[in-house]
Amino acid sequence: MTEAAETDQSSLATDLHVEATSRLMEALIESENRMRRRVELLADAVFETDADGRLVFLNSAWSQVMGLPTEGCKGHPVVGYFPEDQQAAIRSVLEDRSGHPQRHVARVDRPDGTAVWTVLTTAPITSGGVLGVLRDITKEKEYQDELTRLSVVASSTDNLVVITDDRGLIDWVNPAFESRTGFSLDEVRGRKPGWFLQGPGTDQNAISRLRRAIQEKRSISEEVLNYTKSGEPYWIMINLTPVIGEGGRVERYISVQAETTERRRHEEEMRQQKAALEDRVVTRTAQLARAKEEAEEATRAKSAFVANMSHEIRT
């Protein structure tokens, strides 16, 4: 091979290497841009720090969670955006190098004075920093706090209390519910009451009225026959109330149920007694009617006999 041919071949190899490297770089850049675009669409705040814990990347959701512009936060230690009473715990999470994702519930105090509760999830990266995700759970925490307050009140009542989410799936029941139905909270959580309480004697028209009220987001009172875990039937008066949140959206349903089994039993006994009394009245009336007819017949016979005797005496 001539020197010129060798030079041309070497130049071609160099060009091919440069082109391959350029295409690889373009592919890597496009892949990174595509990933960044996807991260920007997330509702959760995503951040990355360097080995010193300083922010080097933030998505747009960071400003929504923190209430601060993203550009002004880059280059600052991420731990500084949490209250002082939580910084030690946050620092421990950020410095964990076990290789396993860490999860921690943390409060964020925004500049406008509002508090935001978040779940911080972090994982170490090869650069020495961490990749983190902040998820706003303020609504969920408010719901759980209110549920706790409601449970304290509902635990002291003899009425059965059921609290469900917006889909009608049980979040909590009080001890009175557990005692009367035989179902524990762990058994019913995440299930709809009708799935395990209704039975062959349950009036489906009443159930339809309940469902229609739920669809229309309105309160309703309805008496229903339910069944315990052992199959015992019992009557309850259900007072169902939706809890409406922002935008008219139903956040949950609260059902307070007063047992009416004894009242229904008493009413049934009264109906039976009334029916028996009416039967006796009808029977006695019939007996009196027959007695009257017999007396009238006897009177007519007596009158006829006297008339005959008078006629015979006169003749």
Side-chain angles (χ1 to χ4, degrees):
M1 181 179 295
T2 64
E3 182 177 349
E6 290 179 352
T7 301
D8 290 342
Q9 187 173 5
S10 175
S11 177
L12 178 61
T14 300
D15 291 343
L16 289 174
H17 177 71
V18 170
E19 182 179 357
T21 302
S22 176
R23 289 183 178 180
L24 178 60
M25 290 297 296
E26 289 176 357
L28 289 173
I29 292 172
E30 175 57 26
S31 177
E32 182 179 358
N33 289 335
R34 187 164 54 248
M35 182 61 67
R36 286 181 179 273
R37 287 195 297 270
R38 292 173 180 174
V39 169
E40 285 298 322
L41 294 175
L42 294 177
D44 298 336
V46 179
F47 66 88
E48 182 182 331
T49 72
D50 59 18
D52 296 325
R54 298 181 181 277
L55 293 165
V56 295
F57 169 78
L58 298 168
N59 71 340
S60 59
W62 170 272
S63 62
Q64 298 172 7
V65 174
M66 291 292 183
L68 293 167
T70 56
E71 291 303 322
C73 298
K74 288 182 180 179
H76 296 280
V78 65
V79 70
Y81 292 100
F82 295 90
E84 290 185 6
D85 61 341
Q86 300 193 38
Q87 289 183 5
I90 298 297
R91 190 175 288 107
S92 176
V93 171
L94 295 173
E95 293 175 354
D96 182 87
R97 310 309 294 181
S98 65
H100 303 292
Q102 300 296 307
R103 188 174 182 274
H104 180 74
V105 176
R107 188 184 80 251
V108 173
D109 294 333
R110 288 174 171 171
D112 61 4
T114 59
V116 177
W117 285 94
T118 66
V119 172
L120 170 63
T121 304
T122 62
I125 53 180
T126 55
S127 64
V130 298
L131 180 65
V133 177
L134 275 171
R135 178 169 173 252
D136 187 347
I137 61 165
T138 305
K139 291 294 184 183
E140 291 90 334
K141 190 173 186 306
E142 289 176 353
Y143 172 68
Q144 289 299 326
D145 290 345
E146 186 175 354
L147 186 62
T148 300
R149 291 193 295 270
L150 287 172
S151 66
V152 171
V153 176
S155 295
S156 60
T157 180
D158 293 332
N159 290 333
L160 284 60
V161 179
V162 179
I163 299 176
T164 72
D165 62 13
D166 60 321
R167 297 169 296 170
L169 302 178
I170 294 176
D171 275 340
W172 183 84
V173 297
N174 69 337
F177 178 93
E178 295 178 306
S179 175
R180 185 65 186 94
T181 66
F183 291 99
S184 68
L185 174 57
D186 291 337
E187 290 179 287
V188 303
R189 184 183 281 118
R191 303 171 67 188
K192 291 188 176 182
W195 292 353
F196 56 90
L197 291 178
Q198 295 174 17
T202 304
D203 183 0
Q204 292 305 309
N205 291 327
I207 300 304
S208 296
R209 289 191 291 271
L210 283 169
R211 289 174 179 166
R212 188 160 53 251
I214 291 173
Q215 293 172 354
E216 296 172 358
K217 302 179 184 179
R218 59 180 173 83
S219 301
I220 186 175
S221 295
E222 191 71 49
E223 195 168 22
V224 175
L225 179 66
N226 278 348
Y227 293 81
T228 66
K229 188 176 183 179
S230 62
E232 175 195 353
Y234 68 97
W235 285 92
I236 54 168
M237 177 61 74
I238 298 176
N239 293 287
L240 182 67
T241 303
V243 178
I244 308 298
E246 296 179 0
R249 178 179 174 274
V250 174
E251 294 182 348
R252 58 190 167 277
Y253 293 92
I254 299 178
S255 174
V256 179
Q257 308 171 2
E259 185 168 359
T260 59
T261 305
E262 287 301 321
R263 178 181 62 78
R264 297 279 301 205
R265 184 180 294 118
H266 179 67
E267 289 176 354
E268 181 61 28
E269 290 175 354
M270 292 294 292
R271 278 194 294 268
Q272 292 176 359
Q273 292 174 7
K274 181 181 178 181
L277 180 59
E278 289 175 349
D279 288 342
R280 288 198 295 270
V281 169
V282 170
T283 301
R284 185 57 177 161
T285 301
Q287 291 174 346
L288 291 172
R290 286 195 300 271
K292 180 181 178 183
E293 290 176 1
E294 291 172 357
E296 291 175 347
E297 182 64 28
T299 300
R300 286 193 295 270
K302 180 180 178 181
S303 298
F305 174 76
V306 171
N308 289 335
M309 289 299 295
S310 297
H311 177 71
E312 291 178 2
I313 292 172
R314 285 195 302 271
T315 59

